[in-house]
């Protein structure tokens, strides 16, 4: 079981509200001598409190408020009740229904221009999209909440919106942007002395350092929370901190220490009857025992977690618990029980659209059917697992599914498919290593940014001190100037003649070596990166938008290569690649690497590189033109020749240096994968481009296009593709 439930510190609600006297609010409602507005205010406040602990009761109260708030003067209560119902359905993972209620409430709020409620609703809708991993839509609504808050100068609303945007970046893995927003938010919370929110921000900052692998720093931030914990009721949040500390030790495989902190968190959740926290606590402790191979104790904790989840309708955790229990039965070779729990896990996940876990379930089922020698069912489940893993983009799950498919096809005697999935398995394993490299490069960038901020502050201090020091020393310098200059010139002149001849000779040699070294570095790295490497000793990875990636590959390379000896093969490849090098140099395109008979280049990398998608396409067309000319030359000589496919795609990439010895500049991201698919889905002699690249150049008068429609690209599904060619200047066609 590889999935760890990590109690997310970003979902903290206003816990202090639940401690209010609910009986007092109910008394206010029953007091008919009070105005309707005051009485319904009490009901609205009560429904907010009940949402956390008794959501069904909160929903029933919201219905009551809707029924009695049918007059214009009570319209804000009506809108509030719609918001409560939206939150209720959001809790049930019925996001479409939740959105309907939120939008209905928002329509009323907009009509009556109730700005504070508008701020809250934009944030709620943003959260609704966020929970569905629709981060772009979530960001849009968080920005609306921020704009509304700025309009009325609501510092607390501004801070909350900035924090939400930071959370959104955090879950997309952009920790640098997330850190920037969190630091802005904590400054605003300090400005209004919101100690509880300052404390919570330390939890968020700790989580960033946790995911960057800076565990000591993460623990420092988690512990710093206690410095601001002025509200005794916030002891409930301590469970969150202990759970995160447990997760850190779990990641370090210190299961004893992890259990210690998980149990501390669980104890607090039990004290305050926080059912979801309790369920997660039991599950986490169960995972520790599972890792320690204590299956009996692990089963007890998973079962306790399951019981709570079933009782309090925590349906996503139900699916996790079933899967974990099924895995234990699998390890015990209790296959009938394992199969039953896997099926229950699948049913629970499908019911609420919990897609993130589906790949794991299908793959586990496939492995089980292989053990039972039911290879046809195994094949079906492994395929479903692989498809789901492609949907989620989880490489680790793709590896597991490919391993399952390899085992299944091998058992079925299908050597061809077995080999294909084994090769995919190996390629994905390499890709996972590349992901780890990217993560390490991002960590370098993260550290560099943190260092840069520190250096900036130190530089300001230094400059201030330097100004003061210069003023103090100015007079002393003047007094000694003439004496020191006289002595200095005399001493210098003694050695000047003997050194001058040597320096003149050495300078020429040094300059040549320097130029040779720099040319060698520029031959390996882009100029901007080479300069950064020389200045700092390292280069940080960076994200680049609108990069156009080109892939080439020779058709039937292996069979043609067999007809050439080693020297002839290398010479022919070198002839082609040297021509490609000349072409991309002409267009200012960056060569990335060659892999066997494949050639990869990219335009639009770095601030100084203004290469457009059109220039990359023109380079691709020239490469094909060269290959056609080369083909004719070799045909006349009766020699074997290569034919080539070219694929191009435009999008976002991460670029950086890999390795220390024999380091290499490389790029990563889905853009690279799609460009590769454009090549493999293309045809000999053609330049095949994606719809993304097409959008950049479709109106160019020098180019013509042949729409191919949507074509199935391996592991990418149906993609729109176009063949591109250069118009004949003489005919305009």
């Amino acid at each position: 079981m590889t999935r760890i439930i990590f109690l997310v510190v970003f979902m903290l609600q206003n816990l202090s509200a639940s401690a209010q006297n609910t009986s007092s609010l109910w008394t206010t409602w029953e007091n008919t001598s009070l105005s309707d507005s005051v009485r319904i205010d009490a009901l609205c406040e009560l429904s907010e409190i009940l949402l956390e602990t008794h959501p069904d009761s909160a929903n029933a109260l919201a219905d009551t408020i809707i029924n009695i708030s049918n007059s214009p003067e009570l319209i804000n209560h009506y809108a509030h009740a719609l918001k409560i119902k939206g939150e209720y359905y959001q809790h049930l993972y019925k996001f479409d229904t939740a959105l309907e209620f939120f939008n209905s409430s928002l329509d009323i709020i907009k009509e009556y221009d109730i700005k504070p409620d508008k701020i809250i609703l934009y944030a709620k809708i943003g959260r609704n999209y966020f929970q569905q991993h629709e981060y772009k839509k979530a960001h849009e609504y968080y920005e609306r909440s921020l704009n509304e808050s700025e309009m009325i100068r609501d510092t607390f609303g501004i801070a909350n919106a900035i924090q939400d945007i930071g959370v959104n970046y955090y879950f997309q893995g952009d920790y640098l942007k997330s850190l920037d927003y969190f630091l802005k938010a904590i400054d605003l919370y300090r400005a209004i002395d919101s100690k509880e929110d300052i404390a919570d921000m330390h939890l968020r900052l700790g989580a960033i350092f946790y995911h960057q692998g800076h565990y000591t720093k993460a623990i420092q931030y988690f512990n710093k929370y206690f410095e601001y914990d002025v509200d005794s009721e916030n002891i409930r949040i301590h469970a969150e901190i202990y759970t995160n500390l447990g997760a850190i030790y779990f990641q370090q495989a210190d299961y004893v220490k992890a259990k210690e902190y998980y149990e501390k968190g669980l104890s607090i959740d039990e004290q305050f009857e926080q059912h979801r926290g309790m369920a997660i606590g039991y599950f986490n402790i169960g995972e520790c025992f599972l890792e320690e191979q204590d299956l009996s104790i692990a089963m007890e904790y998973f079962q306790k977690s399951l019981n709570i989840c079933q009782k309090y309708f925590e349906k996503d955790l139900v699916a996790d618990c079933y899967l974990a229990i099924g895995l234990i039965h699998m390890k015990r070779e209790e296959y009938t029980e394992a199969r039953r729990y896997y099926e229950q896990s699948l049913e629970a996940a499908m019911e609420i659209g919990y897609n993130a876990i589906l790949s794991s379930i299908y793959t586990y089922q496939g492995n089980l059917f292989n053990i039972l020698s039911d290879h046809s069912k195994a094949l079906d489940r492994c395929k479903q697992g692989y498809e789901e893993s492609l949907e989620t983009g989880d490489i680790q799950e793709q590896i597991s599914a490919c391993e399952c498919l390899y085992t299944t096809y091998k058992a079925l005697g299908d050597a061809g498919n077995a080999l294909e999935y084994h090769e995919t398995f190996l390629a994905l394993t390499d890709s996972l290593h590349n992901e780890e490299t990217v993560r390490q490069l991002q960590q370098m960038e993260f550290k560099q940014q943190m260092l840069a901020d520190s250096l900036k502050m130190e530089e300001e201090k230094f400059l201030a001190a330097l100004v003061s020091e210069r003023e103090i020393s100015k007079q002393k310098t003047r007094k000694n100037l003439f004496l020191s200059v006289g002595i200095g010139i005399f001493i210098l002149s003694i050695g000047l003649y003997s050194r001058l001849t040597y320096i003149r000779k050495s300078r020429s040699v040094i300059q040549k070596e320097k130029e040779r070294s720099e040319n060698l570095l520029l031959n390996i790295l882009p100029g901007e990166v080479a300069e950064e490497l020389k200045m700092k000793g390292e280069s940080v990875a960076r994200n680049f938008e609108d990069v156009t990636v080109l892939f080439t590959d020779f058709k039937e390379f292996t069979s043609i290569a067999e007809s050439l000896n080693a020297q002839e093969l290398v010479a022919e490849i070198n002839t082609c690649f040297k021509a490609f090098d000349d072409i991309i140099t002409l267009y200012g395109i960056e060569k990335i690497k060659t892999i066997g008979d494949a050639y990869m280049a990219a335009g639009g990398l770095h601030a100084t590189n203004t290469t457009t998608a059109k220039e990359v396409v023109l380079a691709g067309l020239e490469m094909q033109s060269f290959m056609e000319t080369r083909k004719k030359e070799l045909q006349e000589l009766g020699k074997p020749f290569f034919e080539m496919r070219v694929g191009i795609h435009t999008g976002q990439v991460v670029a950086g240096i890999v390795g220390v010895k024999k380091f290499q500049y490389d790029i990563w991201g889905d853009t690279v994968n799609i460009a590769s698919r454009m090549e493999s889905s293309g045809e000999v002699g053609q330049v095949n481009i994606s719809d993304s690249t097409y959008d950049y150049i479709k109106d160019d008068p020098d180019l013509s296009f042949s729409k191919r429609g949507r074509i199935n690209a391996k592991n990418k599904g149906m993609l729109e593709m176009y063949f591109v060619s250069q118009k004949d200047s003489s005919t305009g066609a």
Side-chain angles (χ1 to χ4, degrees), residues 434 437 441 656-666 668:
N434 286 341
T437 302
L441 289 167
I657 295 175
V658 182
V660 178
K661 294 184 177 180
K662 295 184 180 180
F663 53 74
Q664 177 184 341
Y665 184 76
D666 209 345
W668 304 269

Side-chain angles (χ1 to χ4, degrees), residues 378-482:
L379 183 61
D380 177 62
R381 291 307 191 191
C382 294
K383 281 182 176 179
Q384 287 178 292
Y386 187 53
E387 288 168 6
E388 288 294 336
S389 68
L390 292 174
E391 284 292 320
T392 60
D394 189 325
I395 293 180
Q396 187 60 64
E397 291 295 340
Q398 290 172 32
I399 289 171
S400 298
C402 282
E403 192 172 18
C404 181
L405 284 165
Y406 162 71
T407 302
T408 308
Y409 278 120
K410 186 178 178 183
L412 291 169
D414 188 340
N417 276 314
L419 179 60
E420 178 183 343
Y421 281 101
H422 182 64
E423 288 175 345
T424 306
F425 167 82
L426 294 175
L428 286 168
T429 303
D430 288 342
S431 177
L432 193 62
H433 292 156
N434 286 341
E435 275 201 346
E436 178 60 22
T437 302
V438 172
R439 190 181 74 82
Q440 289 173 359
L441 289 167
Q442 288 173 338
Q443 285 182 0
M444 285 167 57
E445 182 177 10
F446 183 83
K447 287 178 183 176
Q448 189 71 24
Q449 185 61 48
M450 295 293 289
L451 178 62
D453 293 340
S454 300
L455 288 174
K456 186 177 180 182
M457 288 189 291
E458 291 303 318
E459 182 184 10
E460 289 170 357
K461 291 178 185 177
F462 172 74
L463 289 173
L466 187 61
V467 170
S468 176
E469 186 180 337
R470 281 175 178 169
E471 289 299 318
I472 293 170
S473 63
K474 194 177 290 181
Q475 298 302 320
K476 293 180 181 178
T477 304
R478 284 173 179 163
K479 289 178 183 178
N480 298 317
L481 181 61
F482 293 105

Side-chain angles (χ1 to χ4, degrees), residues 37-184:
S37 179
V38 171
R39 294 174 65 216
I40 298 174
D41 270 341
L43 277 191
C44 288
E45 198 170 345
L46 186 59
S47 66
E48 290 279 5
I49 294 170
L50 291 173
L51 256 178
E52 186 182 340
T53 54
H54 299 84
D56 289 333
S57 298
N59 186 48
L61 265 184
D63 286 330
T64 301
I65 296 167
I66 288 170
N67 290 332
I68 61 178
S69 302
N70 50 9
S71 58
E73 61 270 17
L74 299 174
I75 195 67
N76 60 321
H77 298 96
Y78 187 89
H80 185 93
L82 291 173
K83 178 185 76 72
I84 293 293
K85 291 188 73 66
E87 291 180 274
Y88 170 73
Y89 283 106
Q90 195 175 51
H91 174 77
L92 296 178
Y93 300 93
K94 296 182 178 179
F95 299 115
D96 290 341
T97 307
L99 188 60
E100 288 176 14
F101 280 108
F102 286 144
N103 280 328
S104 297
S105 179
L106 184 60
D107 288 342
I108 296 169
I109 296 302
K110 283 181 176 178
E111 184 178 348
Y112 290 86
D113 197 27
I114 309 173
K115 289 194 180 295
D117 288 348
K118 197 189 295 185
I119 291 167
I120 293 169
L121 274 165
Y122 281 141
K124 294 291 182 187
I125 294 172
R127 175 71 60 80
N128 201 59
Y129 283 117
F130 169 81
Q131 286 186 263
Q132 299 174 77
H133 310 295
E134 294 187 35
Y135 299 119
K136 189 174 181 180
K137 291 288 287 184
H139 185 92
E140 177 188 329
Y141 278 92
Y142 290 150
E143 284 285 358
R144 292 185 188 184
S145 180
L146 176 60
N147 292 337
E148 291 292 334
S149 299
E150 288 174 336
M151 284 174 64
I152 62 172
R153 298 181 180 179
D154 177 2
T155 304
F156 187 68
I158 294 169
N160 287 342
I162 287 173
Q163 181 188 169
D164 285 337
I165 294 169
V167 170
N168 207 40
Y169 279 122
Y170 172 92
F171 277 92
Q172 294 176 73
D174 194 336
Y175 300 119
L176 213 53
K177 282 185 180 176
S178 180
L179 177 68
D180 183 46
Y181 278 94
F182 286 164
L183 291 175
K184 288 177 183 175

Side-chain angles (χ1 to χ4, degrees), residues 259-276:
K259 282 186 289 186
E260 178 186 330
Y261 279 103
Y262 285 150
E263 284 165 357
K264 285 182 179 180
L266 177 60
S267 176
I268 295 170
D269 282 326
E270 287 175 333
Q271 180 185 345
F272 287 91
E273 296 184 356
Q274 293 297 294
H275 303 120
R276 184 175 178 86

